[in-house]
Structure formats: C-alpha cells, structure tokens
Amino acid sequence: SGGMRQRVVIAIALACEPRLLIADEPTTALDVTIQAEILALINMLKEETGTAVMFITHDMAVVAQMADRVVVMYPGQKVEEGTVNEIFNNPQHDYTKALLAAVPKLGEMASKKYPEPMKLVGEDSTNNPKPIVGTEEPLLRVNNLVTHYPVKGGVFRRTVAQVHAVEDVSFTIMKGKTLSLVGESGCGKSTVGRSLIRLVEPTSGEVDLDGQDILSLAPKDMRE
C-alpha cells in the first residue's frame, strides 16, 4: 500500500541519520491513521537525533500539528513567515487566510439542516452561501455487491486464491446528494467505485442507475 511504501522510504532516510530531513508531501493521499503514524515517526526522529525537518505540504491541519515555524509561498515568492501560532492566530497575507479558510472544521455543520458551501475569503458575512438541498429520489441503488479478485500463482498462472475485496455491500444515493465512503487503505472503497462502472467486474450483486441494470449491459452500452 502507499502507506507501507512511504514508511519504507522514511525508514531508509532515517537509517542515514540525516541532519536535515526534507519531507515533500509525505502524507498526501494516505488515510489518517497511517498519516498519524508517519507524523509520529518524524517527530520521534527530531526528538531522538536532533534532526531538523523541512516539511513541505498544503495540508494546514498537518502544519498545525508538526511545525514550529511556517513559511508560506505563493507563485515563487515567500509571502509570509512566522511561528505556527502567529500564522494560525493572526495570518497577514490573503493567501494564508485563504489556505486556513479552506480547512473544514469538524462539526461546523452540526447545527445545520443541510450542507452548505464553505465560505470564501473576503466574502461578506451577510451574503451567506445557500444550503445544498438534495432530493429523496434514488439515483443509484447498490444491492449485495461482491467483488473478488483472483490471485494467480505457479508456472501455469492458475487461480490459487481469491481476494475478497468487497463483501456484500448495499447502499442508495439520492439525486443531488453526496454519499461518503470512508475507511482505511485496502478496505475496499476504490474497488466499490470501480465495480460500479465495471472497471472491475463484480462477482455478484445488483447495480441500478436510474432504472438501468448496469451489470447486465454490453460493453457498447456501458460506454454510452
């Protein structure tokens, strides 16, 4: 998995006992549990060996957790510099303000009946974004989706085992609404998505898109 590869690369870098570790987007596209392990590993390195770290990232939540000092760049220029507290509590540059505003706050929609678009920097607070109201009309129904991958082995590349990537998954998505599929790396999220459009052929189940049985379509009809 991506997380394992990143851990191996960091382990190799640490084995060299560097005085400076340049970590360029080391947690991008990782799920949060693996991200936390890698950040903890880098922090441990700092404490135990005195290594300095240059942490390159666009993720302001990671900056808040990892950094002592922050330099903000915008098209080739350094636009702001300060301690992590100064940057987060009193940002000066509009670009820094935009970066911080783009971080969703957990629970900020808890009191709202419907999702709302995030406010943009500089927007008049009286001009609040309108809520996004979906429908209760089903667009996609997925019933008992199962996707197994064959594992090939031996000289004749026979199927020696099955990877049970997706096992009996059902859900419905309404028109105009968003469904979040959440879980760790390798749990089957991407395989569900790929199975719905038959980039991976499901083993069994039903996929109904607006009354159309997707799993029964011929390749030509799938393209349409």
Side-chain angles (χ1 to χ4, degrees):
S1 70
M4 182 56 71
R5 277 197 299 274
Q6 257 131 315
R7 277 180 283 197
V8 168
V9 168
I10 289 173
I12 291 169
L14 304 195
C16 302
E17 297 186 354
R19 284 180 292 171
L20 170 66
L21 176 68
I22 300 177
D24 189 356
E25 298 275 11
T27 59
T28 300
L30 298 181
D31 60 68
V32 287
T33 47
I34 295 174
Q35 177 173 301
E37 285 178 28
I38 288 174
L39 298 181
L41 195 63
I42 292 172
N43 272 334
M44 188 178 71
L45 170 75
K46 282 196 303 188
E47 289 169 16
E48 292 187 359
T49 67
T51 294
V53 179
M54 178 180 179
F55 200 103
I56 301 166
T57 183
H58 64 273
D59 188 330
M60 295 304 279
V62 170
V63 172
Q65 182 180 343
M66 294 294 288
D68 300 297
R69 293 178 63 254
V70 181
V71 168
V72 180
M73 292 189 67
Y74 186 67
Q77 302 286 317
K78 181 177 80 174
V79 296
E80 189 160 356
E81 180 176 8
T83 67
V84 71
N85 285 332
E86 287 165 352
I87 294 295
F88 276 80
N89 294 324
N90 191 23
Q92 300 299 306
H93 195 277
D94 281 347
Y95 180 66
T96 310
K97 293 174 184 174
L99 281 176
L100 291 168
V103 180
K105 314 275 186 307
L106 208 58
E108 66 184 327
M109 293 292 165
S111 61
K112 315 280 188 182
K113 187 176 179 185
Y114 300 110
E116 292 178 8
M118 287 192 294
K119 292 184 177 67
L120 298 176
V121 168
E123 271 194 356
D124 181 359
S125 60
T126 59
N127 182 27
N128 289 330
K130 291 183 172 56
I132 301 166
V133 182
T135 73
E136 293 304 318
E137 187 182 349
L139 177 71
L140 178 74
R141 296 179 193 269
V142 178
N143 293 319
N144 311 111
L145 184 68
V146 175
T147 303
H148 295 169
Y149 291 113
V151 179
K152 307 287 185 181
V155 178
F156 301 107
R157 308 299 295 152
R158 289 199 180 99
T159 299
V160 294
Q162 294 282 341
V163 174
H164 291 222
V166 176
E167 205 65 69
D168 197 26
V169 171
S170 301
F171 56 85
T172 301
I173 308 180
M174 308 301 176
K175 291 181 180 177
K177 288 195 172 180
T178 300
L179 175 78
S180 289
L181 202 55
V182 182
E184 289 199 352
S185 294
C187 74
K189 304 184 299 294
S190 297
T191 303
V192 167
R194 291 165 66 83
S195 298
L196 296 183
I197 52 176
R198 290 173 59 190
L199 288 174
V200 174
E201 284 293 343
T203 307
S204 62
E206 297 172 1
V207 178
D208 181 292
L209 180 66
D210 215 12
Q212 183 83 265
D213 178 4
I214 294 295
L215 302 190
S216 71
L217 293 178
K220 179 175 73 71
D221 298 319
M222 273 303 291
R223 279 194 295 277
E224 284 180 22

